[in-house]
Amino acid sequence: MPERVYDKFDYDTHWVSERLERGLWGIENPLILGILKFSMPWNVLALIYSVLFWETLTPVFIYSSAFGLLWVNIAPYLIWYYDERVLPEFFTDLSELLTDEQERADIAKKYNEFFARHRLSVSAFWTVSIASIIYVSEPALTTMGMSGAGSLFLYTTYAYGIYIGAVLGHGFVGPVTTILLIHEITKYDLEIDPLHPDGLGGLSIVGSIAIRTTLLFSSASLFLPLLFYFADSGGTTAVIFGITGIYILTIFLSFLYPTVIVNRRAQRYRDSVLEDLRQQYATVEQQIHTPDKNEISELNKRLELQRVQRNFENYNSVSLYPLQLSILTRLAGSILLPILITIFQIYLSDML
């Protein structure tokens, strides 16, 4: 069987990805497996709660909670996709900037292992953060039936939050992985091709992994309506918005930092190439002005001068900010998603 693109630089596997790779009952689709193996208990619990307390629940709470549950269902797949598709494909495409395959293999192994390694500190941070949000939002939850006979569901809500923080929260190592990965790559001599079809010297692959990371992990913004509901219903806003701000900042940096640092590194490389070409041009031009009765030699010098000038123009005109229109469009989409969800929540709340 031929080696797939995403197999070549896949040196380690996140434990969530590993469980999705195993399959179940003949099912191999990672999205479906993520729901069956990770999310199904929470879906069943949400269904039971909704049936028992339907008359107590408000429409805003229902759809806000549904958005969050939707993310919980797709999150295992998103972790798998970053681990098994985004990273391996990036290292394959990196051949255009970093031609040494062994160097690429070493970097790939390092950051495959970095993402796959479980970090208690990350899980603990998100677990405590989410549990804190639930704690300060208990007044809103008790009005939704989680008191008295329904207090059991308050405890299951804490269990739900602990699951999100301890299991799914570790997926947020992804943005950190991308940031550190691109920082590492800029230490190498990147070979920028001024004639690359992307018009960016081949740097579009950096913009691509940055936006793919941003899109995957910004999907947790589906929880924003629920957080805004908690804040609007008496939750401690300092806690809710403080933790939300940390999340948004991490996602923002996962896109901004890689593109900026690569731009600066590429700019230094181009300045070096342009300076070298300027010196070549000056040398050849000086030779042309030196008396030479050999017409063939004279012609070769003028052709060389044209070649150097053409190379100079090619390098000087290439854009070194690794963004294409398609990348910017997807970035706008990832930014607009939480905004549109918030507007929808405000509009629906006013209607109801």
Side-chain angles (χ1 to χ4, degrees), residues 73-93:
N73 277 271
I74 65 174
Y77 169 77
L78 299 181
I79 293 173
W80 171 88
Y81 189 80
Y82 180 83
D83 185 33
E84 300 296 322
R85 294 294 182 268
V86 174
L87 286 179
E89 289 176 5
F90 171 75
F91 288 114
T92 299
D93 295 338

Side-chain angles (χ1 to χ4, degrees), residues 17-63:
S17 304
E18 183 180 1
R19 280 155 181 76
L20 299 188
E21 289 283 325
R22 290 177 184 175
L24 180 69
W25 304 324
I27 300 173
E28 297 183 356
N29 185 291
L31 177 58
I32 297 175
L33 288 170
I35 296 172
L36 293 175
K37 290 189 172 186
F38 288 90
S39 311
M40 190 55 68
W42 307 112
N43 294 333
V44 173
L45 192 61
L47 179 61
I48 294 173
Y49 168 71
S50 299
V51 170
L52 293 177
F53 296 94
W54 183 257
E55 294 183 357
T56 305
L57 306 180
T58 63
V60 175
F61 180 75
I62 291 172
Y63 90 77

Side-chain angles (χ1 to χ4, degrees), residues 49 56-58 61 137-147 229 233:
Y49 168 71
T56 305
L57 306 180
T58 63
F61 180 75
S137 305
E138 281 191 10
L141 294 172
T142 54
T143 61
M144 294 295 105
M146 297 185 189
S147 61
Y229 173 81
S233 301

